[in-house]
Structure formats: C-alpha cells, structure tokens
Amino acid sequence: MSGIRGAYVTGVRTVRKAVDKTGLLSKLESSESPKARHVRTLFSIFDAGDMVKMDLAWWSYPAMRRVDEFLSERPDARIFEYGAGASTLWLAKRAGQVDSVEHDAGWAESVREMLADTAGNAKLHVVPPTGATADTTVRSGRVGHTDLDFANYVSTIDEVGGSFDLIVVDGRARVDAFRRSLDHLEDDGVVVFDNIKRKRYWDVLSAMPGLRIELLKGGTPTLPYPTTTGLIWRD
C-alpha cells in the first residue's frame, strides 16, 4: 500500500472509531438514501466484512445495478470470478453457482470464513502465482507482481470447465484472464471487467475486435471518487 493510500486508510479508520461511538454509522447504514449509504461505505475502506454486511460488491454502483438486473433473470446463473472478496458473497446471493479463484492464500482464508455463512453455492479456488522464468507468458502489471507467473491462476477457469453466464475479471493478470474468459462465455453471457479504463487494460481491450463494451462510471463503495466498471459482450 502506497504511503498516501496508507495514510488515508489509517486516517479513515481512526475517524471511524470516533464516529461509531456517536451512533452515526448505524443511522447511515439503515438510511434509505443512496448518498447516505455511500457515506457509510467510506468508513469501510478495505473492510470486506462491512461490504458483505451492506450487500455490496466493489464495483461502480451503476455496474452493480446492471449486473443485479442481469442475474435477476437468471436465478440459476453459473459464474466464474477472478479475484475473490465481497463480490463473491454478493454474487452467491444472486446466482446458482459461483467459482472464484484467488491468488493470495491469506486473503482467501478470510474470504473462506465469510463464505461459511452462505448457502454453500460458492467455491473458492486458491491458486498462488509461481516465480517467473524466461518462458513466462502470463504476468501481472501490478507493481510488486511483475516477477510472478500467473499462468495457473488464469487457467483455473479451464480446470473448472464448462461455460458461464457471467465472468468477473477483478484480480491479477486481467487482460490474460479476460482473453481466457471468452472461451468459456455463454453466447448471451457478459464479462464484468473492473477498473477497465486503466491504461494497461483499456489500450488492449479497446483495440480488440468483436466486442461490445459498456462503460459504467460512477460512485464506488468505500471510495471518495468514481471508478469505471465495464460490461463486455461478444458481438
């Protein structure tokens, strides 16, 4: 975590302790106002448990609404997710089966504990990266991860097998994960690609033929600024 980001998170958590004593957090959480509920999420930065409690995925609000609508017409939807977290539980409430792959074993254990209270329709696959070699073709562009090989992580969707109504790309090596996802996407299925406008993603995706991309920019839980989540269909 960068110095600025770390300072922000520490500051928010310090303020949260004081605000929580006033009862304001509970009032914001129970409010019917979307703005008030968003303010409540600002005190939950990097707190997946809070996100689960508020029934939120860490995507833009417009994207959450669109995915909710999509899944409401497919109660038995089969989902694959790159990158486990609060969204795993959010999806499990709305789908028939969720398979989620996570590269961080420590974080996966936290997610597994949260999944203990679900209906049992979510399966977590823990696939850590290996050390990169001269032959490595699946790397992550994230700082601190560029010397790792995510080939096994990306190919987990092949191991699970079959086709999926919805595939979420919100973990590591996202471009490679997206390319692999297309081989397993139902004809009328959709890919949710979070933070799609990051240059290292957008430069590649926007140049790929045969795709229909919907950019959904808006407020995002826990963040004081908007982000963009993309929904992608094959033409």
Side-chain angles (χ1 to χ4, degrees), residues 3-64:
I4 294 176
R5 180 181 296 181
Y8 173 75
V9 173
T10 299
V12 167
R13 289 176 175 171
T14 299
V15 173
R16 172 177 173 157
K17 292 179 181 178
V19 173
D20 197 17
K21 292 179 180 179
T22 69
L24 179 59
L25 290 186
S26 296
K27 291 180 180 179
L28 291 171
E29 191 171 317
S30 61
S31 173
E32 296 183 2
S33 165
K35 289 184 179 180
R37 287 178 59 79
H38 175 65
V39 171
R40 168 63 182 85
T41 74
L42 296 179
F43 294 98
S44 302
I45 185 72
F46 293 122
D47 188 335
D50 256 14
M51 295 275 285
V52 170
K53 182 180 178 182
M54 291 182 280
D55 192 27
L56 295 170
W58 206 7
W59 313 323
S60 71
Y61 291 115
M64 262 188 284

Side-chain angles (χ1 to χ4, degrees), residues 38-232:
H38 175 65
V39 171
R40 168 63 182 85
T41 74
L42 296 179
F43 294 98
S44 302
I45 185 72
F46 293 122
D47 188 335
D50 256 14
M51 295 275 285
V52 170
K53 182 180 178 182
M54 291 182 280
D55 192 27
L56 295 170
W58 206 7
W59 313 323
S60 71
Y61 291 115
M64 262 188 284
R65 287 192 291 270
R66 290 282 279 115
V67 173
D68 199 14
E69 292 169 1
F70 178 85
L71 293 176
S72 69
E73 300 174 357
R74 299 165 176 78
D76 296 322
R78 191 166 183 247
I79 297 174
F80 189 88
E81 178 186 42
Y82 286 100
S87 57
T88 310
L89 286 88
W90 188 89
L91 291 165
K93 288 184 177 181
R94 295 163 170 81
Q97 177 65 36
V98 179
D99 282 271
S100 183
V101 60
E102 174 56 41
H103 79 284
D104 186 321
W107 174 241
E109 189 57 36
S110 296
V111 176
R112 197 183 304 280
E113 291 175 3
M114 291 188 286
L115 287 173
D117 295 328
T118 67
N121 62 330
K123 184 175 181 180
L124 187 60
H125 306 264
V126 184
V127 184
T130 58
T133 68
D135 297 325
T136 295
T137 57
V138 181
R139 296 177 184 265
S140 172
R142 187 179 179 89
V143 174
H145 292 70
T146 55
D147 61 343
L148 298 173
D149 181 357
F150 285 86
N152 293 335
Y153 169 87
V154 166
S155 66
T156 302
I157 194 169
D158 300 329
E159 299 299 321
V160 175
S163 57
F164 299 90
D165 300 282
L166 185 142
I167 299 173
V168 179
V169 178
D170 195 13
R172 297 293 176 264
R174 294 188 196 185
V175 171
D176 287 279
F178 173 73
R179 287 188 173 120
R180 191 65 62 91
S181 296
L182 294 178
D183 294 334
H184 293 274
L185 190 65
E186 289 278 7
D187 291 340
D188 61 346
V190 62
V191 176
V192 180
F193 197 116
D194 200 26
N195 309 118
I196 191 172
K197 288 306 292 288
R198 289 178 182 168
K199 181 175 175 56
R200 66 180 183 271
Y201 306 145
W202 185 244
D203 284 354
V204 177
L205 297 180
S206 61
M208 291 179 66
L211 301 179
R212 177 165 59 90
I213 303 176
E214 181 177 355
L215 300 178
L216 295 163
K217 181 178 181 178
T220 304
T222 80
L223 299 178
Y225 52 83
T227 67
T228 302
T229 303
L231 299 190
I232 307 175

